[in-house]
């Protein structure tokens, strides 16, 4: 399961978290050829996400969850397995 370090700002406090997450398989779709052979991209969504503070699970507020999810989707680097799972 991929993980990343993330500094969450809650009020005046900065909290250094470790985030573990999984993404649904990504299908880049097909935009070439006949319309009936074309499909839009799909997948690549965060399926599971858990935040840890000092090794203990940390509860996120809904807005914080959304903020971290957006960060993951913008910064996730594929190691090759992500696209292979969708194939």
């Amino acid at each position: 399961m991929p993980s990343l370090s993330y500094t969450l700002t809650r009020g005046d406090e900065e909290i250094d978290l470790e985030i573990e997450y999984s993404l649904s398989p990504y299908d880049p779709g097909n935009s070439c050829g006949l319309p009936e052979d074309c499909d839009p991209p799909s997948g690549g969504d965060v399926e599971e996400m858990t935040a840890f503070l000092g090794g203990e699970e940390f509860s996120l507020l809904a807005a914080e969850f959304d903020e971290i999810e957006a960060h993951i989707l913008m910064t996730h680097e594929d190691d090759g397995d992500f696209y292979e799972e969708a194939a």
Side-chain angles (χ1 to χ4, degrees):
M1 183 175 290
S3 65
L4 60 89
S5 296
Y6 187 85
T7 301
L8 176 71
T9 302
R10 187 182 273 181
D12 293 335
E13 186 177 6
E14 289 190 345
I15 305 166
D16 294 323
L17 300 173
E18 188 68 24
I19 308 294
E20 290 184 357
Y21 63 95
S22 66
L23 300 174
S24 63
Y26 178 74
D27 182 346
N30 181 18
S31 59
C32 298
L34 299 171
E36 59 268 16
D37 295 332
C38 294
D39 293 307
S42 63
D45 303 314
V46 175
E47 289 186 320
E48 294 180 36
M49 182 171 63
T50 307
F52 295 94
L53 176 62
E56 299 292 322
E57 197 166 330
F58 182 82
S59 295
L60 297 169
L61 303 174
E64 295 168 343
F65 184 96
D66 293 344
E67 173 187 329
I68 296 170
E69 180 179 43
H71 176 77
I72 289 169
L73 294 175
M74 289 190 314
T75 61
H76 176 79
E77 291 185 21
D78 180 42
D79 60 5
D81 294 338
F82 187 55
Y83 288 99
E84 291 174 13
E85 291 174 12

